[in-house]
Amino acid sequence: MTSATGDAVAVIDFGSQYSQLIVRRIREAHVYCELIPHDASREEVQRLETKGFILSGGPASVYERRAPSLPRYVLESGLPVLGICYGMQLLAQELGGVVARTDKKEYGLAELQIGDLSSPLFASLPFSQSVWMSHGDRIERLPPGFKALAYTVNSPLAAMGDEERKLYGLQFHPEVSHTAYGAAIITNFVHDICGCKETWTPQSFIEQSVAHIRAQVGSGRVICALSGGVDSTVTAILVQRAIGDRLSCVFVDHGLLRAGETERNRDLFDPLLGLSVVHVDASRRFLRRLKGVVDPEEKRRIIGEEFIRAFEQEAAKLGPVQYLAQGTLYPDVIESAGVDTRSAARIKTHHNVGGLPSHMAFSLVEPLRYLFKDEVRQVGLELGLPQEVVYRHPFPGPGLAVRIVGEVTEERLVILRAADKIVVEEIERAWLYRDVWQCFAVLTPIRSVGVMGDQRTYEYVVAVRAVTSEDGMTADWAPLPAEVLARISNRIVNEVPGVNRVVYDVTSKPPSTIEWE
């Protein structure tokens, strides 16, 4: 996956918690980029046909013995480079500067003063601006050829530049929203300094993806895992445009769906999307495999394997099928440590990435593998998909299995479906559905004492979760109106047998994840 015109930027990842945000800001400037591990091979980077590099921040200090080093190809390329925080210090040390620990660490907001407004990095920006700092080291001496471009009270070298070689460094983080003009700084770098054009658009992505799928599949046949969400639907439409009737879509009901999901999908696929879909009821085999399983990673692994086996069985009925198309997204890859398994922590295994079995009869077709959710939605709108599909809340592939903490049973599924239906209904009734990223119920393994009809009860506790987000990589809990939460709670305890208490999750991501398992 590369930019169709070669206008791309590589973000070299040194482990910053903000690395994915750098990628987002570049793509918001309509320039394609990818997050590349700091120890990736030169060949892996060359496939991007990059016009510049951005070096991310990171938790290490450049003078530590085992600190990540600057890849040789970065400076040898002669292309523009922008180092951020650790990336700036690494660039300085590599080129002959001096980096040392500072007695006055900077964390949080700081006031930046631009010392050289003639630099293209700060073109058309105000002299003074708020920036976000997060560092305990600083540059004590600039490398030869560099000059100071900006400063703060505690950082006399808050930005540096060698205009002739187009090498720059920022001590602060332009990618976070707290830095007032951070997006403009990144845009200046990728457009004016790297010379990238605004070629990363939904239409260009569609054209490139269709061509890539044709080249990958050749004369082969594809089976597409269709769930009804925007990711799998966009995937199916792209593959259909590429190979026509050599695509077969399969909807597998694993018994872990929301209330009314199967009926909704039947009404959606054929008349609205023109997709011919095979419906497979595999609920018994999934629930049988999940019996007695409580570990969330094991649940995901089992579900991922069973999905593949179900698709293999259907493929055998359809004739020789060589490829499986699925709606894998960039956050799935990142959270499953698929971007850099050498240094990234595995948060959870996504059933369609790390949860796939090691042996299967298909090669994968994943046209959305490097897209964030909001980018997929833009592509969906460009393809003409109905808004009800494009803006539907994300629903995990493992379904309600990861919203039941503990063992998945028929009884618990019935309880959770009823509670979850109420949550969504009340969010929609309050006209808040488009304001939140996801809203759902979680069935906890906890039972609590209650009083209903003058009788003592000892029933389940249901947790309600609603978050706001741009792409699912980070999220804040949604401050739903008290009256909405009251209606949700009242309806659940009165309408759902087996529940006598409702709690609201007010934890952001991080430190939690959006899903509970």
Side-chain angles (χ1 to χ4, degrees), residues 106-225:
E106 276 189 302
Y107 297 102
L109 286 173
E111 198 66 21
L112 184 79
Q113 311 295 323
I114 307 298
D116 187 354
L117 288 171
S118 67
S119 173
L121 194 63
F122 299 109
S124 303
L125 299 185
F127 165 73
S128 181
Q129 52 190 273
S130 296
V131 298
W132 185 261
M133 291 284 192
S134 181
H135 67 99
D137 298 331
R138 72 178 186 183
I139 297 174
E140 297 288 342
R141 188 180 71 231
L142 288 173
F146 281 80
K147 63 180 179 179
L149 300 179
Y151 60 91
T152 69
V153 171
N154 290 325
S155 293
L157 300 175
M160 67 177 190
D162 180 334
E163 305 287 6
E164 184 176 341
R165 289 186 288 177
K166 296 184 178 182
L167 304 177
Y168 299 89
L170 302 173
Q171 186 61 74
F172 57 93
H173 288 272
E175 67 273 24
V176 302
S177 59
H178 305 78
T179 297
Y181 295 92
I185 293 171
I186 290 175
T187 298
N188 284 344
F189 178 73
V190 298
H191 285 172
D192 300 335
I193 296 173
C194 295
C196 294
K197 299 180 179 64
E198 296 186 24
T199 57
W200 180 244
T201 64
Q203 183 56 44
S204 70
F205 172 80
I206 292 169
E207 294 171 358
Q208 183 188 2
S209 293
V210 169
H212 180 77
I213 292 167
R214 284 176 182 154
Q216 178 186 1
V217 172
S219 60
R221 294 189 61 191
V222 179
I223 189 171
C224 181

Side-chain angles (χ1 to χ4, degrees), residues 288-300 302 401 404-408 412 517:
R288 186 168 58 249
R289 285 290 311 277
L290 290 170
K291 185 177 181 180
V293 179
V294 297
D295 179 73
E297 281 290 282
E298 184 65 6
K299 287 183 190 177
R300 290 174 179 271
I302 289 172
I404 293 176
V405 182
E407 183 183 5
V408 178
R412 291 177 176 179
E517 287 207 333

Side-chain angles (χ1 to χ4, degrees), residues 7-41:
D7 280 11
V9 172
V11 178
I12 309 300
D13 184 19
F14 293 98
S16 170
Q17 60 181 316
Y18 303 131
S19 293
Q20 291 81 26
L21 286 178
I22 304 173
V23 175
R24 287 196 50 78
R25 298 297 171 254
I26 297 171
R27 292 190 183 181
E28 287 166 1
H30 302 294
V31 173
Y32 184 71
C33 68
E34 286 183 26
L35 192 60
I36 305 295
H38 65 84
D39 55 354
S41 67

Side-chain angles (χ1 to χ4, degrees), residues 290-507:
L290 290 170
K291 185 177 181 180
V293 179
V294 297
D295 179 73
E297 281 290 282
E298 184 65 6
K299 287 183 190 177
R300 290 174 179 271
R301 187 196 65 77
I302 289 172
I303 292 168
E305 180 179 339
E306 284 302 308
F307 261 126
I308 294 299
R309 301 309 171 218
F311 290 128
E312 287 175 342
Q313 288 183 7
E314 287 308 308
K317 299 175 186 176
L318 294 168
V321 177
Q322 299 84 11
Y323 297 92
L324 170 66
Q326 58 179 15
T328 304
L329 301 190
Y330 209 16
D332 300 340
V333 178
I334 293 169
E335 289 191 338
S336 296
V339 169
D340 181 7
T341 55
R342 292 153 289 197
S343 61
R346 173 167 291 176
I347 307 303
K348 58 187 177 183
T349 298
H350 287 264
H351 78 286
N352 57 340
V353 185
L356 294 176
S358 56
H359 300 287
M360 58 182 185
F362 307 110
S363 296
L364 295 178
V365 176
E366 298 176 311
L368 311 183
R369 188 177 178 86
Y370 294 101
L371 292 194
F372 292 99
K373 174 72 79 171
D374 55 320
E375 294 176 316
V376 176
R377 286 179 169 148
Q378 293 169 21
V379 172
L381 292 173
E382 187 72 24
L383 289 169
L385 297 184
Q387 291 204 4
E388 66 172 288
V389 176
V390 172
Y391 291 107
R392 194 161 192 251
H393 287 183
F395 185 67
L400 299 180
V402 293
R403 293 178 180 174
I404 293 176
V405 182
E407 183 183 5
V408 178
T409 66
E410 288 279 13
E411 176 203 12
R412 291 177 176 179
L413 282 167
V414 169
I415 293 172
L416 182 55
R417 280 197 188 97
D420 185 78
K421 186 171 184 286
I422 290 170
V423 172
V424 176
E425 285 177 351
E426 290 301 329
I427 295 292
E428 290 178 330
R429 176 183 173 188
W431 296 94
L432 294 171
Y433 190 82
R434 289 279 293 273
D435 294 333
V436 299
W437 175 264
Q438 273 176 284
C439 62
F440 54 89
V442 175
L443 184 61
T444 77
I446 302 169
R447 293 178 183 262
S448 71
V449 174
V451 179
M452 301 176 76
D454 295 327
Q455 298 292 321
R456 178 187 184 274
T457 62
Y458 188 60
E459 307 288 6
Y460 284 111
V461 176
V462 163
V464 175
R465 181 79 156 140
V467 298
T468 59
S469 179
E470 286 186 355
D471 52 29
M473 292 302 301
T474 60
D476 292 320
W477 63 275
L480 297 180
E483 58 270 22
V484 175
L485 290 173
R487 283 199 302 270
I488 290 173
S489 176
N490 183 267
R491 285 192 60 192
I492 289 176
V493 297
N494 280 282
E495 298 177 26
V496 182
V499 179
N500 68 0
R501 191 179 300 271
V502 176
V503 297
Y504 188 53
D505 184 347
V506 292
T507 319

Side-chain angles (χ1 to χ4, degrees), residues 224-236 249-254 257-258 260-266 268-269 273 275 277-279 307 311 325-328 351-352 373 389 392-399:
C224 181
L226 196 57
S227 69
V230 65
D231 307 332
S232 65
T233 304
V234 168
T235 296
C249 294
V250 175
F251 169 70
V252 174
D253 181 353
H254 52 16
L257 299 172
R258 284 175 158 176
E261 192 78 2
T262 300
E263 295 74 17
R264 170 195 172 272
N265 287 337
R266 282 202 179 100
L268 171 70
F269 294 145
L273 303 178
L275 294 172
V277 182
V278 176
H279 291 256
F307 261 126
F311 290 128
Q326 58 179 15
T328 304
H351 78 286
N352 57 340
K373 174 72 79 171
V389 176
R392 194 161 192 251
H393 287 183
F395 185 67

